[in-house]
Amino acid sequence: MQEIVGILRDCALFDGIDAAELSELLHCMDAKTAHFDRKYTILAEGSPTHTIGIVLTGAAHIVHLDCFGNRSILGHIRPGESFGEAFACAGTPALPVSVVAEEPCDVLLLRSARMLHSCESHCAFHQRLIYNLMRSLAMRSVQFHQKLYILSRRTTRDKLLAYLAAQARQAGASRFDIPFDRQALADYLQVDRSGLSVEIGRLQREGVLVSHRRHFELLGGASPLA
């Protein structure tokens, strides 16, 4: 548990809570760890919203499959980031999405009811957790609106450039790595993979960007940092 506490101290949900309090808090929330292999479904669409998860190692995707089997990636979860809290707070009876391991990962699973309601002792650190949770939800709202802006672009080219510009701003540099391979990027932007590959090739020939696998560099006027 001490190793987990070390990882969680960098997690936004536990900001301002010291190691001793965090150990007690995890016990209060009946915390459990689990390992998931790549492509394993951590939480399935339609399951009850009783669980909040925090990725400790590896990475996961929040995904949705429509009735025709088309996959959309709604989010990427890195170590120290959480999932499931928005649906738990909203009182959604069943998950409208799935959480899938994008690579082998270890996950901390918490009972949402014990996170959302202060314990009988009304500990100060539990109140801090609830405050952090609300701040985390606000940040998710910002990220959601950012993705809406990206998806509202009319063409594959414009969606791609809007996404890459956002990634460059986040990295603070014109060179950066993205968390998606080509298929996952297409699923995130909700475009056809072959069309996406064509646009990346065209933008490279035009001198707008350089790309190799998950690494990108925005050149000249294309860079939001120029």
Side-chain angles (χ1 to χ4, degrees), residues 22-205:
L22 186 50
S23 293
E24 187 176 345
L25 188 59
L26 294 177
H27 177 75
C28 175
M29 292 186 294
D30 195 23
K32 301 183 185 304
T33 59
H35 177 81
F36 298 93
D37 293 328
R38 185 173 183 270
K39 300 301 182 184
Y40 194 93
T41 300
I42 301 170
L43 293 179
E45 182 175 345
S47 61
T49 55
H50 295 162
T51 302
I52 293 173
I54 299 172
V55 172
L56 300 174
T57 64
H61 286 160
I62 300 174
V63 303
H64 174 69
L65 290 177
D66 66 20
C67 58
F68 301 106
N70 299 310
R71 183 180 76 152
S72 295
I73 295 180
L74 306 180
H76 177 77
I77 311 165
R78 300 175 176 85
E81 295 181 340
S82 56
F83 56 86
E85 68 272 34
F87 304 114
C89 286
T92 307
L95 285 173
V97 298
S98 295
V99 181
V100 179
E102 194 267 335
E103 57 187 71
C105 60
D106 294 303
V107 177
L108 183 70
L109 302 172
L110 311 167
R111 291 178 58 182
S112 60
R114 294 196 175 187
M115 177 179 283
L116 299 176
H117 303 287
S118 182
C119 59
E120 295 177 356
S121 302
H122 301 287
C123 347
F125 57 77
H126 205 141
Q127 295 297 324
R128 177 71 189 189
L129 173 66
I130 294 173
Y131 168 78
N132 289 344
L133 178 60
M134 295 303 102
R135 187 172 62 176
S136 175
L137 292 174
M139 288 302 300
R140 287 292 173 84
S141 177
V142 171
Q143 293 167 0
F144 174 73
H145 282 88
Q146 181 185 72
K147 184 174 183 184
L148 279 182
Y149 169 78
I150 293 170
L151 295 185
S152 70
R153 303 301 89 191
R154 293 180 178 274
T155 66
T156 296
R157 179 190 181 99
D158 289 343
K159 289 180 181 181
L160 173 62
L161 288 176
Y163 172 74
L164 294 177
Q167 291 295 299
R169 285 193 296 270
Q170 182 177 328
S174 59
R175 297 180 180 180
F176 52 89
D177 293 319
I178 67 171
F180 303 125
D181 60 20
R182 288 289 185 269
Q183 183 60 60
L185 180 58
D187 291 343
Y188 181 82
L189 297 177
Q190 297 182 17
V191 298
D192 179 71
R193 176 180 175 174
S194 60
L196 175 66
S197 296
V198 167
E199 285 298 339
I200 291 174
R202 182 178 291 125
L203 288 166
Q204 290 194 92
R205 291 192 297 274

